[in-house]
């Protein structure tokens, strides 16, 4: 059956079928090849997309701006500091206004219920640019990156997510792997294990796709991994938890030893970024002076030939552009 995503929101990969995700990956590849060949289109001409951010962003904002602009459309950036959003006006009223003015809305913030309400009240496609529990556009970029680097079907690929396995990236990976029939291990401390309800939901999907989704604190669970993935240990809004996170997560730092424990000489290191891998940031330096080493990966691994982190960053743009083209045209 032909895939048609026109008018659809992109709130979580759980709303998308395997065929629809496949379609978006193939469209991303085509748009990427076109851009590399110097071809950009005008498929978003006359379309305006709102970029609404309640949390900071480098890659996601840039990818939406560049993706829309390359296809001839326009964007508006709003945050809650310089708009009425979340202050003088209800979510429902703001969403209705946005729906009158924009063809699509990207939202980054805290609760998943906000991105769902924006979709419900605005009546236009809404794109989840990260919430506390999901980051679906990142997974699309990461799946594309895996397909570019690993010469086997996604259904044969094993991804191990190391560290805070209760965060938005871990959950987004669980959803993506469950849909695409992949093997996924959340490798981290029991205290930060994925919530049971989420594990149950993804295992329901996995039963139909052939995926294997598990949690483990045992280093042997990284054996046979094709990808070791990690993320910062304290997500946006959780900075006050750094002391407890460093204590819990230090054993799950991605090191050369961990790469070797996979037994796969070609294992990929992946990370959504931003990453603490050295002391070049004020935050890493300040925390180190307080006695906390917040690096979730060694600089050696981050800069190694295994690392494809900047390919992932570039692929954010191609995949986000594909989502926009598929849902708005
Ligand atoms: N990976 C990612 O979402 O990056 P930003 O926070 O910079 O958007
Ligand atoms: N888990 C991180 C992801 C950043 C892209 C955060 O939410 O801050």
């Amino acid at each position: 059956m032909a895939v048609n995503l026109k008018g659809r929101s992109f709130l979580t990969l759980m709303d998308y079928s395997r065929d629809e995700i496949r379609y978006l990956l193939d469209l991303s590849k085509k748009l990427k090849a076109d851009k590399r060949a110097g071809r950009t289109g005008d498929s978003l001409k006359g379309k305006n997309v709102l970029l609404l951010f309640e949390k900071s962003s480098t890659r996601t904002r840039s990818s939406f701006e560049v993706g829309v602009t390359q296809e001839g459309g326009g964007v508006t950036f709003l945050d809650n500091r310089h708009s009425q959003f979340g202050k003088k006006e209800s979510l429902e009223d703001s969403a209705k206004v946005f729906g009158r003015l924009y063809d699509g809305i990207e939202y980054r913030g805290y609760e998943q219920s906000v991105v769902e309400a924006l979709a419900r009240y605005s009546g236009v496609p809404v794109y989840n640019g990260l919430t506390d529990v999901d980051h679906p556009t990142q997974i699309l970029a990461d799946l594309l990156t895996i397909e570019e680097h690993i010469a086997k079907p996604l259904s044969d690929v094993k991804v191990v997510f190391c560290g805070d396995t209760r965060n938005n990236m871990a959950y987004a990976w669980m959803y993506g792997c469950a849909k695409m029939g992949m093997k996924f291990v959340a490798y981290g401390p029991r205290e930060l294990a994925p919530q049971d309800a989420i594990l149950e939901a993804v295992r329901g999907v996995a039963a139909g796709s052939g995926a294997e989704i598990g949690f483990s604190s045992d280093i042997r669970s990284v054996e046979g991994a094709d990808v070791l993935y990690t993320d910062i240990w304290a997500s946006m809004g959780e900075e006050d938890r750094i002391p407890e996170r460093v204590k819990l997560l230090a054993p799950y730092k991605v090191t050369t030893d961990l790469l070797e424990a996979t037994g796969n000489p070609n294992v990929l290191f992946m990370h959504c970024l931003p990453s603490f891998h050295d002391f070049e940031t004020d935050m890493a330096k300040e925390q180190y002076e307080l006695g906390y080493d917040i690096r979730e990966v060694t600089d050696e691994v981050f800069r190694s030939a295994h690392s494809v982190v900047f390919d992932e960053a570039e692929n954010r743009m191609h995949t986000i552009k594909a989502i926009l083209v598929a849902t708005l045209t």
Side-chain angles (χ1 to χ4, degrees), residues 64 74 105 108 128 155 190 215 229-230 237 249 254 285 299:
F64 271 94
I105 301 166
R108 167 173 287 198
N128 182 350
S155 54
R190 168 66 48 198
F215 166 79
Y229 200 104
T230 195
L249 293 170
V254 180
K285 265 186 276 196
D299 203 40

Side-chain angles (χ1 to χ4, degrees), residues 241-263:
R241 300 197 191 160
I242 285 175
E244 61 178 274
R245 291 292 168 80
V246 169
K247 200 163 153 241
L248 283 171
L249 293 170
Y252 300 90
K253 187 191 289 273
V254 180
T255 61
T256 304
D257 284 350
L258 194 66
L259 258 54
E260 278 168 12
T262 66

